[in-house]
Amino acid sequence: MQRQRWGRWALFIGCWTLLGIFFASQLYLSYAYSRYPIRWGQALALELTAWYIWAALSPAILWLARHFRIERSRWVRSLLVHIPASLIFTFVKLNLEIWVIGHIRWLPPRRIYPSSIHPNILTYWAIVGISHALDYYRRYRERELKASQLEAKLAQSQLQVLKMQLHPHFFFNTLHAISTLMHRDVEIADRMLARLSDLLRLTLENAGMQEVPLKEELAFLDPYLEIEQARFGDRLCVQLDIQPDTLGALVPNLLLQPLVENAIRHGIAQRAEGGRIWIMAMRKGEKLMVQIRDNGAGIPAELKDLKERVGLMNTRARLQQLYGAAHRFDLRNAPDGGLEVTLEMPFLTEDGHA
């Protein structure tokens, strides 16, 4: 904080010094070929004196500029303050300049000429204008920051709502799966309830997280797959093809379960002989690609609204909220039969690196 304050003061003095040097060169050159040339040291001392006096007066001018802003609602009142103030500060500055230069013997004396009044009045208004410009810029940045914060809070709220929609959808479906076994095989149903408790524990552990590493998402998927395999037995086969370098990549929390559930529900459950599900993850440059495919019937004509079901619609919305245009979500029939869901998203890890 102290270093930042000193930096501001250095910038403040530096700007006035540059003005003094610039106008000193103008003064020196204007007298260089006259009958009474002026030395460079004298020109520099004269101009630095003039501009350093403005530097000393500028805090008071800035105070007036902040408290009497020239705005649409009060410009008349502000002008009634700034017009006489510009004359007063010009008079004070010129008299201070004469007084200071008069005490430096090796400098030529200075007098107040009518022609020197107008440039000094313009200097006053330039300070007021710069103050207004900086204030407008500060307000613009504050509005921009507030807008981005509101946008981030809105996106976070929308994501939280989507997760709240997804949790009951998933648990009700899982409980329904357990209820179908309750009167058929109590032992398997009991084991499924135990796995459901694991799912509840994992869900509570990650309740406040929008993204988790892929390895944690797979760990969450494992008990769900065990529950479904208890239901379907040999009719369900799941094959994982996960590249090791993708395990640390961040994915949306509860990303895989609704997609796998969709594959089981529409690709496997309706087939008497059951089927197979492939889950694949690989890195493609700066992107993570996740693919879930089954060997079911694909998307028949009577299920044109498949994309609008809760699990898929929710996944699509969450990907849009998290990654915007940086993601891809394709749902199509695979060339060799079945449904193929392909997702691409930025490859990021918990430390923020790609």
Side-chain angles (χ1 to χ4, degrees):
M1 192 69 178
Q2 189 71 19
R3 182 180 298 178
Q4 188 178 13
R5 186 180 303 169
W6 280 109
R8 289 177 181 175
W9 275 108
L11 179 64
F12 178 78
I13 298 299
C15 289
W16 291 107
T17 302
L18 287 175
L19 283 170
I21 294 172
F22 176 80
F23 283 97
S25 63
Q26 181 190 42
L27 180 64
Y28 176 76
L29 292 174
S30 65
Y31 281 91
Y33 300 100
S34 66
R35 293 178 58 186
Y36 305 102
I38 190 172
R39 295 194 300 273
W40 168 248
Q42 291 178 317
L44 184 62
L46 287 169
E47 292 299 332
L48 286 178
T49 299
W51 289 103
Y52 283 158
I53 291 173
W54 273 122
L57 296 174
S58 61
I61 300 173
L62 292 172
W63 184 90
L64 285 174
R66 284 193 299 269
H67 287 79
F68 298 95
R69 295 182 52 76
I70 303 175
E71 296 176 326
R72 184 180 302 176
S73 59
R74 51 179 181 174
W75 65 273
V76 174
R77 188 191 70 167
S78 297
L79 286 179
L80 289 176
V81 171
H82 285 296
I83 289 174
S86 65
L87 297 173
I88 293 170
F89 276 95
T90 295
F91 177 79
V92 171
K93 182 263 178 182
L94 290 173
N95 280 277
L96 282 173
E97 187 179 352
I98 291 171
W99 183 81
V100 172
I101 292 173
H103 285 76
I104 304 175
R105 295 182 179 180
W106 55 278
L107 292 179
R110 232 184 208 191
R111 298 176 183 175
I112 298 178
Y113 296 99
S115 59
S116 63
I117 295 175
H118 295 81
N120 283 280
I121 291 176
L122 287 176
T123 301
Y124 173 92
W125 285 102
I127 296 172
V128 172
I130 291 171
S131 172
H132 279 57
L134 292 174
D135 191 53
Y136 279 124
Y137 177 73
R138 179 183 58 80
R139 291 184 181 185
Y140 168 76
R141 290 299 301 270
E142 287 178 353
R143 286 195 298 268
E144 194 176 54
L145 179 61
K146 287 180 181 178
S148 64
Q149 289 174 341
L150 286 173
E151 187 177 346
K153 288 179 180 178
L154 177 61
Q156 188 72 15
S157 298
Q158 290 171 335
L159 284 167
Q160 198 63 36
V161 169
L162 289 169
K163 284 180 67 179
M164 289 170 67
Q165 291 174 352
L166 190 59
H167 286 171
H169 170 76
F170 158 62
F171 286 118
F172 288 150
N173 285 351
T174 305
L175 287 171
H176 176 71
I178 294 173
S179 69
T180 60
L181 286 173
M182 190 62 71
H183 300 289
R184 194 174 70 194
D185 193 325
V186 176
E187 185 178 345
I188 294 178
D190 183 66
R191 189 163 69 247
M192 290 176 70
L193 282 171
R195 301 307 283 152
L196 180 59
S197 69
D198 293 338
L199 286 173
L200 283 168
R201 177 181 55 79
L202 290 170
T203 302
L204 291 172
E205 287 178 356
N206 296 329
M209 302 176 67
Q210 294 295 349
E211 293 178 295
V212 296
L214 180 59
K215 60 184 177 183
E216 293 186 19
E217 185 67 12
L218 290 169
F220 180 86
L221 184 65
D222 184 62
Y224 171 76
L225 287 173
E226 188 173 335
I227 290 172
E228 294 293 0
Q229 285 179 322
R231 279 182 62 201
F232 290 95
D234 295 337
R235 293 177 56 218
L236 174 62
C237 179
V238 179
Q239 182 176 330
L240 297 178
D241 183 13
I242 310 295
Q243 292 188 357
D245 61 342
T246 65
L247 292 174
L250 292 177
V251 297
N253 191 12
L254 283 178
L255 171 72
L256 297 179
Q257 185 278 326
L259 301 177
V260 173
E261 178 189 337
N262 183 76
I264 293 174
R265 188 174 182 183
H266 300 289
I268 307 300
Q270 299 176 7
R271 290 163 55 96
E273 68 276 21
R276 183 182 296 269
I277 294 175
W278 290 269
I279 303 172
M280 183 269 290
M282 64 177 293
R283 181 170 185 171
K284 293 177 61 179
E286 299 301 315
K287 297 282 188 179
L288 170 69
M289 187 177 81
V290 177
Q291 192 173 81
I292 298 170
R293 183 164 54 92
D294 63 69
N295 62 347
I299 308 176
E302 64 269 19
L303 286 179
K304 288 190 243 180
D305 65 336
L306 183 62
K307 292 183 182 181
E308 302 304 321
R309 293 180 183 274
V310 173
L312 293 175
M313 182 176 64
N314 200 296
T315 300
R316 189 184 298 277
R318 293 179 68 210
L319 288 168
Q320 178 62 36
Q321 285 288 337
L322 282 169
Y323 309 117
H327 86 282
R328 182 168 73 94
F329 181 37
D330 290 337
L331 184 71
R332 66 186 184 92
N333 286 330
D336 54 349
L339 184 67
E340 183 178 87
V341 180
T342 303
L343 304 96
E344 286 188 4
M345 62 202 79
F347 192 103
L348 295 172
T349 58
E350 287 184 295
D351 57 7
H353 294 94

